[in-house]
Amino acid sequence: MNKFIVVVAILFSVLCSSCITNKDVVYLQDKGTVVNDSLLLKEMGKPYRVQINDILSINIKSTNSEITELLAIFQPVAQEGSGVEQEALYFSGFTVDLHGNIEFPILGKINVLGYTTDEINNKVKQALLDKYLKDVSQIFITVKMAGLRYTVTGETGRSGVYTLFQDRVNIIEALANAGDIKNTGDRTDVKIIRQYPGGQKIHSIDLTDVVAMQSPYYYIQSNDIILVKPLKRKALGGGETATQTLTTIASIFSVLVSTYFLAKNL
């Protein structure tokens, strides 16, 4: 009987420790690592820099009718039946190749890897000035990202491929758009697979710690893959709440007691 009580006690302890706590699910907690609140909580205002496989939307307009006719040759032609905006940009936008270049009509290849949209704007203006126009003061160039495309998989509400039409998106916004991390997901070790010119690399970020806001991976990049692992305690069979855990304990305890007395009476 004593051995039986010991087994039940151990089982009870294991299942109680597997209950998901508040600390497991709350984002950006102060874990004693904050030195300067105002410095830490200030979002890093660095603009997005273009990566390979990004798609850019570049439009050139002018107030001068004569220049407008000339600029028409620089505008990409949209494909018929290209569908919604994102699909249309796949055909008519400018995709950054593996060497970091876009193929611009007439002007040829322009390297944009690592540049901001404002810097690309200036590069296109300068190329037009050097080759075709004497004065670019009457033209207006708009360079925008054709949305940030990323993938979410694992312990989330809705795994899938998403596109957000924003210049900057942090990882919490990206996950919220995918139904957020489930209570059974590990927020302390979220993986980001990121594309670089030399290949892919895997990075990790702890979203339960407020210092995550200073991480270079807090803001996602186009074509990032976000992986959310399950908590180890999920594998132990513990519930997400205390009620679920106690229900599991009661069920197992009932089976063990029945088995014990059945074996004793044989």
Side-chain angles (χ1 to χ4, degrees), residues 83-247:
V84 297
E85 182 180 1
Q86 179 64 18
E87 294 174 351
L89 286 170
Y90 176 80
F91 294 100
S92 62
F94 298 92
T95 302
V96 183
D97 64 23
L98 294 177
H99 302 288
N101 300 317
I102 57 173
E103 187 73 36
F104 204 85
I106 307 301
L107 296 180
K109 292 184 182 296
I110 299 178
N111 188 271
V112 297
L113 183 63
Y115 289 90
T116 67
T117 53
D118 286 341
E119 291 170 342
I120 296 170
N121 186 314
N122 293 331
K123 289 194 75 169
V124 174
K125 272 188 179 180
Q126 190 60 47
L128 288 171
L129 179 62
D130 292 342
K131 294 185 178 181
Y132 293 96
L133 304 176
K134 295 180 180 179
D135 182 10
V136 294
S137 61
Q138 292 181 303
I139 67 171
F140 303 92
I141 301 178
T142 303
V143 180
K144 288 187 176 182
M145 288 286 300
L148 278 172
R149 183 176 179 273
Y150 64 96
T151 301
V152 176
T153 188
E155 290 291 301
T156 61
R158 299 185 303 274
S159 295
V161 181
Y162 297 90
T163 300
L164 289 176
F165 295 96
Q166 298 173 220
D167 291 334
R168 296 171 71 233
V169 177
N170 66 51
I171 191 170
I172 295 178
E173 291 175 316
L175 288 166
N177 188 56
D180 204 359
I181 298 177
K182 295 179 180 178
N183 286 346
T184 51
D186 188 355
R187 288 166 171 79
T188 65
D189 188 22
V190 176
K191 302 295 185 183
I192 299 106
I193 301 176
R194 181 160 293 177
Q195 181 71 48
Y196 295 93
Q200 292 182 321
K201 292 183 180 180
I202 301 177
H203 307 287
S204 179
I205 185 171
D206 180 358
L207 294 180
T208 66
D209 195 333
V210 70
V211 295
M213 294 179 69
Q214 288 186 324
S215 169
Y217 316 113
Y218 184 66
Y219 284 95
I220 68 169
Q221 294 185 2
S222 188
N223 302 304
D224 275 357
I225 300 174
I226 303 172
L227 304 175
V228 182
K229 303 183 302 180
L231 288 167
K232 290 181 179 180
R233 63 196 62 187
K234 179 184 178 182
L236 294 174
E240 294 184 22
T241 65
T243 301
Q244 292 177 353
T245 301
L246 289 173
T247 301

